[in-house]
């Protein structure tokens, strides 16, 4: 039998539990309501953890921080004084007032904050100051590279042990970006009609500045500032193929191709393409044409940051990821790399052949991509169709084993002539005996 005291204890326990649940619900609801939404303008991200763990340095600035994601890091603080020197030079040259510059940046503050995937824990004044100092530094670096870069003991970046390349490398990291609209806006405010710039916009100057560490073999067509998010996006846009992706409404089935060595064994020819764009790979009538590209010091860093940006922002237009997958499949071993070197597709090789193959395998690792949206699908279909025709392989064997040198061709022709003459002699002997 349950006593009245027991009922009171049960009711009291229920009331306490309900009160606790109510507080927890209120707390969780408050957390949800306080969570800022991700802005549709978001375009600057942390590199995805999977790819970041493979090469931490490829995404982390070593010399200078640009923007808030690495702001205040201890080993980057020495460059803060140089930023202020460049700010002073920027103001002296442009004759802009600090008040006008601060007012301009302040007017863009929320729009700039919305570009970062993380909420920036800086006060309004701190944030505006950082964006202004970093933007003027970027402009000054690019300006000096084009117009003023001379030996100067007072210029920290042009000393005999130059940091120019180090700074330029840090400026193409996805986590080290400022939205282009604020940098180019400040540039246009500073140089509205400067005679030195001529027809070059800030985008044009930036492409020239980054040319030595990109995969560009050409100066691309004019790119509108309004369509560029930041420097990583700018360089990626410069590398897009001349013919963009066009897929059936239901997508495509992923298809890969054999390695360079396997293609050579079935008689498919791999040659250097004449396009200046590395993604303009073409196939026709048994010939695969691949534009030339160089293996250089910054290749891995450049490709890794392109890939990270496409994973975060360009899921349906992952051209660089598709290119790396295609080339990584083609170059599976050192022998495959040798074939591309011999055909002048790879130049300025700074590492051994096996390391190149390993590099492209590593670049593909941990990358999230969508194979049903593969840019090189149609080309792979045509290449595989060629490989499945038995006669193509037989022709390749004949060419390799019997017609690979002029002397072998002469020997084969002589043997055939001798065989024919022997046959004729035998026929003539038979005829003469019969008569």
């Amino acid at each position: 039998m349950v006593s009245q005291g027991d009922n009171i204890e049960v009711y009291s326990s229920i009331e306490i539990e309900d009160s606790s649940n109510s507080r927890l619900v209120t707390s969780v609801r408050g957390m949800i309501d306080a969570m800022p939404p991700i802005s549709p303008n978001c375009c600057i991200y942390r590199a995805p953890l999977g790819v970041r763990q493979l090469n931490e340095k490829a995404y982390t600035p070593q010399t200078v921080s640009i923007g808030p994601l690495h702001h205040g890091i201890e080993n980057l603080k020495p460059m803060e004084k140089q930023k202020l020197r460049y700010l002073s030079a920027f103001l002296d040259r442009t004759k802009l007032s600090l008040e006008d510059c601060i007012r301009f940046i302040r007017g863009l503050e929320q729009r700039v904050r919305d570009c970062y995937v993380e909420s920036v824990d800086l006060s309004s004044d701190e944030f505006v100051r950082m964006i202004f100092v970093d933007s003027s530094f970027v402009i000054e670096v690019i300006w000096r590279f084009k117009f003023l870069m001379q030996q100067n003991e007072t210029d920290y970046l042009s000393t005999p042990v130059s940091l120019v390349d180090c700074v330029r490398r840090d400026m193409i990291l996805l986590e080290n970006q400022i939205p282009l609209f604020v940098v180019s806006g400040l540039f246009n405010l500073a140089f509205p009609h400067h005679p030195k710039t001529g027809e070059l916009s800030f985008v044009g100057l930036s492409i020239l500045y980054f040319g030595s560490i990109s995969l560009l073999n050409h100066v691309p067509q004019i790119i509108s500032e309004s369509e560029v998010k930041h420097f990583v996006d700018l360089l990626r846009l410069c590398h897009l193929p001349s013919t963009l992706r066009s897929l059936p409404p239901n997508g495509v089935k992923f298809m890969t191709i054999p390695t360079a060595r396997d293609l050579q064994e079935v008689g498919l020819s791999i040659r250097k393409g004449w396009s200046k764009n590395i993604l303009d790979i073409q196939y026709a009538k048994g010939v695969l044409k691949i534009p030339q590209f160089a293996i250089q010091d910054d290749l891995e860093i450049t490709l890794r940051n392109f890939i990270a940006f496409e994973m975060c922002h360009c899921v349906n237009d992952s051209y660089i990821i598709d290119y790396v997958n295609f080339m990584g499949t083609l170059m599976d071993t050192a022998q495959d790399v040798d074939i591309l070197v011999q055909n002048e597709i790879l130049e300025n090789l700074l590492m051994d052949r096996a390391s190149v193959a390993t590099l492209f395998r590593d670049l593909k690792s941990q990358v999230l991509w969508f194979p049903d949206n593969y840019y090189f699908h149609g080309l792979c279909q045509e290449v595989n169709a060629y490989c499945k025709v038995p006669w193509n392989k037989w022709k390749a064997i004949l060419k390799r084993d019997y017609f690979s040198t002029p002397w072998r061709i002469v020997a084969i022709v002589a043997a055939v002539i001798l065989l024919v003459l022997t046959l004729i002699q035998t026929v003539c002997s038979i005829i003469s005996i019969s008569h």
Side-chain angles (χ1 to χ4, degrees):
M1 185 173 180
V2 179
S3 67
Q4 185 176 0
D6 290 336
N7 285 334
I8 293 173
E9 288 181 7
V10 170
Y11 292 144
S12 177
S13 175
I14 292 174
E15 287 176 357
I16 292 172
E17 183 178 345
D18 287 345
S19 176
S20 177
N21 288 343
S22 178
R23 287 196 304 272
L24 185 56
V25 167
T26 301
S27 173
V28 172
R29 177 59 60 191
M31 292 169 62
I32 293 173
D33 292 340
M35 192 71 180
I38 296 178
S39 168
N41 297 321
C42 179
C43 61
I44 301 173
Y45 308 85
R46 295 279 188 185
L49 185 61
V51 295
R52 199 178 211 288
Q53 289 177 330
L54 296 174
N55 188 343
E56 189 86 16
K57 284 189 175 181
Y59 309 98
T60 307
Q62 304 299 307
T63 305
V64 61
S65 70
I66 305 294
L69 297 187
H70 291 274
H71 180 69
I73 300 297
E74 191 64 33
N75 67 299
L76 304 179
K77 286 183 178 179
M79 281 299 293
E80 294 304 311
K81 290 183 179 179
Q82 183 62 19
K83 287 181 185 179
L84 293 177
R85 293 190 188 100
Y86 270 34
L87 171 59
S88 177
F90 171 77
L91 292 172
D92 287 345
R93 180 180 305 108
T94 61
K95 307 304 179 186
L96 286 175
S97 71
L98 267 173
E99 290 77 9
D100 289 341
C101 293
I102 294 297
R103 188 181 301 110
F104 173 77
I105 301 295
R106 179 90 67 187
L108 297 172
E109 178 185 356
Q110 189 55 52
R111 188 180 167 196
V112 175
R113 285 180 180 270
D114 288 345
C115 291
Y116 294 93
V117 70
E118 299 177 3
S119 296
V120 180
D121 189 21
L122 292 173
S123 69
S124 178
D125 284 353
E126 291 173 325
F127 184 82
V128 170
R129 178 171 59 245
M130 176 201 64
I131 294 296
F132 173 48
V133 171
D134 288 0
S135 296
S136 62
F137 174 77
V138 167
I139 293 171
E140 189 69 11
V141 166
I142 292 176
W143 179 269
R144 292 188 183 206
F145 173 82
K146 176 63 179 175
F147 301 114
L148 297 173
M149 188 54 74
Q150 300 172 353
Q151 189 67 31
N152 182 346
E153 293 181 359
T154 65
D155 188 345
Y156 183 53
L157 297 190
S158 66
T159 56
V161 184
S162 178
L163 291 176
V164 171
D165 291 337
C166 299
V167 169
R168 182 162 39 205
R169 191 178 301 120
D170 281 350
M171 286 168 63
I172 63 166
L173 306 183
L174 177 60
E175 298 180 4
N176 217 33
Q177 298 298 311
I178 294 178
L180 192 85
F181 66 79
V182 67
V183 187
S184 63
L186 187 60
F187 177 88
N188 294 332
L189 188 67
F191 305 108
H193 305 292
H194 200 289
K196 278 192 173 182
T197 63
E199 296 299 321
L200 282 176
S201 64
F202 180 70
V203 162
L205 289 172
S206 300
I207 291 172
L208 292 176
Y209 173 72
F210 290 112
S212 63
I213 60 171
S214 69
L215 299 174
L216 288 174
N217 295 321
H218 68 299
V219 177
Q221 294 181 346
I222 296 173
I223 296 175
S224 170
E225 289 183 0
S226 61
E227 64 179 303
V228 180
K229 309 297 184 186
H230 41 67
F231 287 143
V232 177
D233 185 39
L234 171 63
L235 293 178
R236 176 187 169 274
L237 289 172
C238 291
H239 289 86
L240 294 189
S242 54
T243 303
L244 297 182
R245 191 186 311 268
S246 177
L247 297 173
N250 296 326
V252 294
K253 181 181 178 182
F254 173 63
M255 184 176 291
T256 186
I257 60 169
T259 64
R261 184 185 178 191
D262 290 339
L263 291 177
Q264 199 172 64
E265 287 184 352
V266 298
L268 189 142
S269 177
I270 303 175
R271 300 178 188 170
K272 180 176 74 172
W274 294 108
S275 173
K276 297 297 185 181
N277 191 311
I278 61 167
L279 269 72
D280 283 339
I281 301 172
Q282 300 173 346
Y283 170 80
K285 299 179 180 179
V287 178
L288 181 64
K289 293 184 178 181
I290 303 175
Q292 188 181 63
F293 70 98
I295 301 292
Q296 54 191 356
D297 286 336
D298 299 308
L299 175 68
E300 180 177 0
I301 289 176
T302 303
L303 287 177
R304 282 196 179 279
N305 281 274
F306 285 171
I307 289 169
F309 180 59
E310 287 193 341
M311 288 176 67
C312 297
H313 196 81
C314 311
V315 173
N316 296 319
D317 289 302
S318 52
Y319 291 97
I320 304 299
I321 291 176
D322 289 355
Y323 175 78
V324 168
N325 271 288
F326 182 89
M327 297 302 294
T329 302
L330 202 62
M331 297 186 291
D332 189 52
T333 66
Q335 290 176 308
D336 300 315
V337 177
D338 274 331
I339 292 171
L340 298 190
V341 171
Q342 291 163 9
N343 288 284
E344 300 181 346
I345 294 165
L346 290 183
E347 67 168 354
N348 299 334
L349 207 55
L350 300 179
M351 57 180 76
D352 62 85
R353 280 31 171 185
S355 297
V356 176
T358 301
L359 169 62
F360 274 83
R361 278 200 302 273
D362 289 346
L363 286 172
K364 295 194 301 179
S365 180
Q366 300 297 315
V367 171
L368 177 66
W369 67 298
F370 295 88
D372 58 348
N373 198 30
Y374 189 43
Y375 176 67
F376 297 106
H377 171 265
L379 184 147
C380 290
Q381 264 188 326
E382 295 182 59
V383 168
N384 284 323
Y386 179 93
C387 295
K388 289 177 181 178
V389 178
W391 171 239
N392 292 328
K393 187 173 183 178
W394 297 338
K395 283 193 301 182
I397 293 173
L398 284 172
K399 183 177 179 181
R400 182 184 68 239
D401 295 345
Y402 300 103
F403 300 101
S404 58
T405 68
W407 297 114
R408 285 192 175 187
I409 294 173
V410 169
I412 293 295
V413 170
V416 170
I417 292 174
L418 182 61
L419 180 62
V420 171
L421 291 175
T422 302
L423 182 61
I424 292 173
Q425 184 180 18
T426 302
V427 171
C428 291
S429 298
I430 295 172
I431 292 174
S432 63
I433 292 172
S434 63
H435 288 299

